[in-house]
């Protein structure tokens, strides 16, 4: 017997067994059902009969984090090409005609740690919809004529971003925050890489990541899980397991910790309103999941109108907006403070931002009532987010890729358990006294007046 076959078979068995064990340990909300097919494909069914529709989504552990410079932006281009042609529908005209026959609403997204594709259609079209998804995910055709049309579309998204002062500031921040690994935090890509992409490069991406054991199929809506599982297995069951774990075979290089604080001032004529941004390297889910939860609670607290941050900056007229956020990630999530300063009080605004951040971990920076209010907001947001069945697959798959299904299930209850000590530990570990990147984008005319570089510097 062929030795390579034996090796692939053995690896497949190990991968499937591991997936079965993981499935058995998963906690899910009521009405959610999980099954791992023999080929390693995890199938999640969400029974939600609010409307007579069904949404199917396939999420793949792919995205910017898998891209070195030579492939930067190609996961995004791959996502666009998904909707072009495949073995069953060999050109886009036939593909689009089929979406119309199904009455489907469809789209895809590419982020740092996930690529997903989804269709919503009438509940009676579930089998037809799964067959349609199967053809697109497993049997794509990358025609040069289609790529010639789509490359400028994808690159055009990049160019539109470059015309936005916020994007310019963000991109410069990313360069300094992630250094030579910036491509792994930037799904939009690199112009030259996008514009010279070939069908061969598309196949390389497919052959590295597009396997059942690296994917989650979610079926949500007016369905019964037993029937949905049976259909999924009958249609996707012969999708061949890769015989390896893509996340292990193609390891992600570690993001280097910041060693020093760095400031910059960027002049841009399009920056009619100046923006300030401050970013720290925050927690990663695998190493500090508790901090990822505490980060969300703290961000919500300082977003309250009654918070010291908002009162000191917005209420006092130093800024029209200040926004604190953390982006939950498997690979180093950023902690960000974005400020829209009063152009006439730039120096005062900056000084007060630094003053506020220095006080964040003090015991009296927020009240018990504010923490309770923040938790109530997060609870309401969770309820609201789950009201629309067609949005549930995307919410679940984000966590499946970047955290876990247990994290998704427990997130709201874990918000309610966060203590002051948890928030202080998060801030002391990742923010207070830690290196960060600070950027200011400003119009040249305004900068001539204020000389931002004279005060926008590390203290």
């Amino acid at each position: 017997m062929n030795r390579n076959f034996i090796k692939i078979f053995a690896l497949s068995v190990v991968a499937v067994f591991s997936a079965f064990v993981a499935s058995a340990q998963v906690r899910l909300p009521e009405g959610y059902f999980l099954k791992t097919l023999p080929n390693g494909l995890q199938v999640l069914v969400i029974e939600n009969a609010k409307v007579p529709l069904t949404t199917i989504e396939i999420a793949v552990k792919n995205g910017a984090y898998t891209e070195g410079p030579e492939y930067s932006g190609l996961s995004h281009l791959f996502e666009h090409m998904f909707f072009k042609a495949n073995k069953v529908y060999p050109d886009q005209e036939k593909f689009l005609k089929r979406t119309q026959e199904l009455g489907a609403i469809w789209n895809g997204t590419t982020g740092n740690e996930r690529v997903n594709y989804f269709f919503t259609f009438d509940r009676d079209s579930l089998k037809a919809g799964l067959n349609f998804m199967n053809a697109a995910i497993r049997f794509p055709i990358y025609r040069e004529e289609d790529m010639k049309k789509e490359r400028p579309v994808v690159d055009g998204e990049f160019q539109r971003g470059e015309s936005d002062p916020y994007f310019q500031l963000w991109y410069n921040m990313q360069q300094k925050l992630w250094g030579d690994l910036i491509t792994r935090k930037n799904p939009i890509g690199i112009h030259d890489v996008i514009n010279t992409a070939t069908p061969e490069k598309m196949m390389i991406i497919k052959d590295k990541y597009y396997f059942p054991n690296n994917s989650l199929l979610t079926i949500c809506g007016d369905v019964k899980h037993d029937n949905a599982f049976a259909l999924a297995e009958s249609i996707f069951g012969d999708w061949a397991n890769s015989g390896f774990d893509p996340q292990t075979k193609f390891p992600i290089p570690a993001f280097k910790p910041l060693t020093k604080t760095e400031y910059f001032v960027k002049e841009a004529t399009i920056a009619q309103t100046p923006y300030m941004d401050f970013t720290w390297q925050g927690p990663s889910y695998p190493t500090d999941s508790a901090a990822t939860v505490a980060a969300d609670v703290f961000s919500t607290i300082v977003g309250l109108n009654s918070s010291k941050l908002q009162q000191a900056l917005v209420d006092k007229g130093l800024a029209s907006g200040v926004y604190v956020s953390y982006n939950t990630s498997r690979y180093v999530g950023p902690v960000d403070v974005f400020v829209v300063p009063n152009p006439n009080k730039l120096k005062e605004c900056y000084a007060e931002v630094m003053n506020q951040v220095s006080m964040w971990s003090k015991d009296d920076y927020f009240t018990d009532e504010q923490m309770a209010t923040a938790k109530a907001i997060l609870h309401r947001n969770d309820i609201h987010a789950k009201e629309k069945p067609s949005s549930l697959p995307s919410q679940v798959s984000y966590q499946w890729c970047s955290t876990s299904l247990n994290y998704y299930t427990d997130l709201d209850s874990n918000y309610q358990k966060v203590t002051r000590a948890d928030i202080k530990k998060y801030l002391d570990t990742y923010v207070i006294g830690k290196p960060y990147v600070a950027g200011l984008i400003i119009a040249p005319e305004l900068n001539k007046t204020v000389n931002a570089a004279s005060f926008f510097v590390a203290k």
Side-chain angles (χ1 to χ4, degrees), residues 288-321:
D288 197 355
S289 61
T292 69
V293 179
D296 288 346
V297 175
F298 179 73
S299 297
T300 307
I301 289 172
V302 293
L304 298 173
N305 290 335
S306 64
S307 73
K308 289 185 177 181
L309 182 69
Q310 300 296 326
Q311 289 185 343
L313 288 164
V314 178
D315 289 8
K316 294 294 192 333
L318 296 180
S320 60

Side-chain angles (χ1 to χ4, degrees), residues 128-145:
L130 288 171
N131 276 312
F132 188 61
M133 176 71 83
N134 181 63
I137 198 76
R138 292 174 60 187
F139 309 111
I141 296 174
Y142 303 112
R143 304 188 310 171
E144 178 56 40
E145 60 197 89

Side-chain angles (χ1 to χ4, degrees), residues 218-341:
T218 303
I219 303 169
C220 176
D222 193 2
V223 298
K224 297 298 182 183
H225 66 278
D226 288 339
N227 178 57
F229 284 143
L231 284 173
E233 185 156 11
S234 68
I235 294 168
F236 292 90
D238 61 349
W239 186 6
N241 183 289
S242 64
F244 59 84
D245 178 1
Q247 307 302 311
T248 302
K249 185 172 181 178
F250 309 108
I252 308 305
F255 290 94
K256 298 174 184 177
L258 289 175
T259 58
K260 64 178 181 179
T261 293
E262 186 171 359
Y263 275 68
F264 68 91
V265 175
K266 179 180 179 63
E267 289 190 349
T269 56
I270 62 173
Q272 296 305 303
T273 299
Y275 296 144
M276 291 180 186
D277 204 9
F278 308 83
T279 308
W280 292 257
Q281 291 180 346
S284 303
Y285 164 75
T287 56
D288 197 355
S289 61
T292 69
V293 179
D296 288 346
V297 175
F298 179 73
S299 297
T300 307
I301 289 172
V302 293
L304 298 173
N305 290 335
S306 64
S307 73
K308 289 185 177 181
L309 182 69
Q310 300 296 326
Q311 289 185 343
L313 288 164
V314 178
D315 289 8
K316 294 294 192 333
L318 296 180
S320 60
V322 54
Y323 311 93
V324 179
S325 63
Y326 163 72
N327 184 29
T328 304
S329 304
R330 181 168 294 274
Y331 298 96
V332 190
V335 178
D336 190 72
V337 180
F338 180 73
V339 183
V340 184

